[in-house]
Structures are given as C-alpha cells and as structure tokens.
Amino acid sequence: MRVLVVEDDVRAAETVRRMLVSDGWSVVVARDGADGLWQGTENEFDVIVLDIMLPKMNGYQVIKGLRSRQVWTPVLMLSAKDGEYDQAEALDYGADDYLTKPFSVVVLKARLRALLRRGGKERPAVLSAGSLTLNPSDHVVCRDDAPIKLTPREYSMLEFLIRNKGRVVTKVEILQSIWDENYEGDVNIVEVYIRYLRKRIDIPFGANSIRTVRGSGYCLVDE
C-alpha cells in the first residue's frame, strides 16, 4: 500500500513513516502543504495522512485543492485541535476521517485500514434537486444558476439532504451525519439549521424543496 504523509513536524512525520514502513507500506513524506497538494495530485496513493497546520498551504486548502481536481484518495486529517467545529470543517472540505494529536499508533493504523476498506470511490460531479444544484468538488451551490452562499454546517446539511433526496430523514440521522454520534445537545438544533437553509435556498426563489414530515423528519424534493 502507498501512503502520502503531509506533516511539517519532522519528528512526528518520521514516527508515522517508520510505523507504516514496518507494516509494509510505501511512504512518501511532504513537508508543506504545497508539496502535499502536488504529490497528491500528480501521484497515485491509496490513502493520505494530512496535518492541518502546515507551511505554505494549510490542510484545509490542500484537501479543498485535491477535491477540486477530482482527486478522491481517502484523506485522514491530523490536528492538535479537538473542537467539534474544527472536525466539522475538515469533513466539510472533503476529508474522510479526523484524528486528534497526540494519537495512538494502534488507532491510526485502524483508521487507515478502515479508509482502505472504503476506498476512494469517485463521487458524482454535480448533485441536483429540481433547479437546485450542489457541486461537491468546489462546494458551489446554485438555484437557477444563481450562486448561494452557505456556512460549512449549512452546506453539510444540504449535501446530506440532497444525497438522500426523496427520502424522509430523521433529526437523529441528521445529527449523526452533520454533528457526530456523541452530540449531547438539543436535537432541536436541527430545526434551527433547517430554517437557515430554507432562508437561503428556498424562500428567496419562491421554492419549497425542504418538506417537514410531521413526527418523522425532513425530505428534500425536486422543486
């Protein structure tokens, strides 16, 4: 297996490199974000380990650059930050998993194995629901070709709804997908973000694509 490790901390990069090499991996190390983006775009890898805090380009810029170039190699992001918004932002930009430093070598290996099992399947170029479109590669959302600006959380919720178009999804499903399964706050936060989304993608255009199904959840339809 071939892995790209994008990490500017020499000691941390060497630790990860030796650990993976001992398991039979072929490892390429990039010391900054610009080199990491070039390596990830120009060469084939089975998985990428990407730090967030990097010189020249940060990890968010690297992952966004990879996805905009249609590179769907699974990416595990590393960060010393453990806030839920940092994790959400990484996933919103296209990362497949997130691991907080310091991390266990055993856990890192397990996460990489899980990503390999999932693979880097190509994703649809553009998702749509009626006149509403969402492009996962560059996070552009439009209605009738008019661009719509969304926050990362709003974008993630819309992407979840549009990927489940025509199906009723519950608040719990939305929470587990957009926040995480350990979220312990008020489930009504989903209602708040549904209102935000309607104000952005429906109301200004006279549309009603997000339907409330009483007692069940929400359903995005073609409109």
Side-chain angles (χ1 to χ4, degrees), residues 34-219:
D35 187 32
L37 177 59
W38 185 87
Q39 292 282 358
T41 303
E42 298 299 321
N43 299 294
E44 292 288 333
F45 294 96
D46 295 293
V47 67
I48 297 173
V49 178
L50 175 64
D51 191 28
I52 290 180
M53 302 302 293
L54 295 166
K56 297 187 179 180
M57 296 177 70
N58 64 39
Y60 297 131
Q61 294 171 311
V62 174
I63 185 66
K64 187 175 181 181
L66 289 171
R67 298 316 188 215
S68 69
R69 291 164 173 77
Q70 307 296 305
V71 176
W72 304 118
T73 307
V75 174
L76 170 63
M77 295 198 80
L78 304 177
S79 177
K81 299 180 179 180
D82 61 358
E84 64 174 16
Y85 289 106
D86 298 300
Q87 296 183 42
E89 190 169 13
L91 297 172
D92 287 343
Y93 277 124
D96 298 275
D97 201 356
Y98 185 103
L99 190 58
T100 304
K101 297 179 178 179
F103 51 81
S104 159
V105 170
V106 173
V107 172
L108 176 61
K109 289 181 179 180
R111 295 286 185 90
L112 293 178
R113 289 195 298 269
L115 289 179
L116 288 172
R117 287 194 297 271
R118 281 186 245 163
K121 298 178 181 178
E122 186 172 347
R123 304 169 197 186
V126 178
L127 304 174
S128 64
S131 61
L132 182 69
T133 59
L134 181 150
N135 190 330
S137 67
D138 55 16
H139 285 210
V140 171
V141 175
C142 296
R143 167 82 77 179
D144 294 324
D145 295 324
I148 301 172
K149 186 175 181 180
L150 300 177
T151 66
R153 187 83 73 178
E154 290 167 351
Y155 175 89
S156 295
M157 181 174 284
L158 177 59
E159 183 175 10
F160 178 78
L161 291 172
I162 206 168
R163 287 187 184 278
N164 289 276
K165 182 177 68 174
R167 183 174 78 85
V168 178
V169 292
T170 66
K171 289 182 181 179
V172 172
E173 286 181 280
I174 295 174
L175 281 173
Q176 290 179 343
S177 175
I178 311 306
W179 280 261
D180 65 60
E181 60 184 8
N182 298 314
Y183 175 77
E184 297 180 351
D186 190 344
V187 296
N188 289 325
I189 188 67
V190 173
E191 295 179 14
V192 173
Y193 275 87
I194 288 292
R195 286 200 298 271
Y196 291 162
L197 265 185
R198 284 172 170 153
K199 289 179 181 178
R200 308 256 192 187
I201 69 170
D202 278 350
I203 294 175
F205 302 92
N208 181 30
S209 60
I210 303 178
R211 308 289 175 83
T212 299
V213 181
R214 291 192 177 277
S216 298
Y218 303 94
C219 182

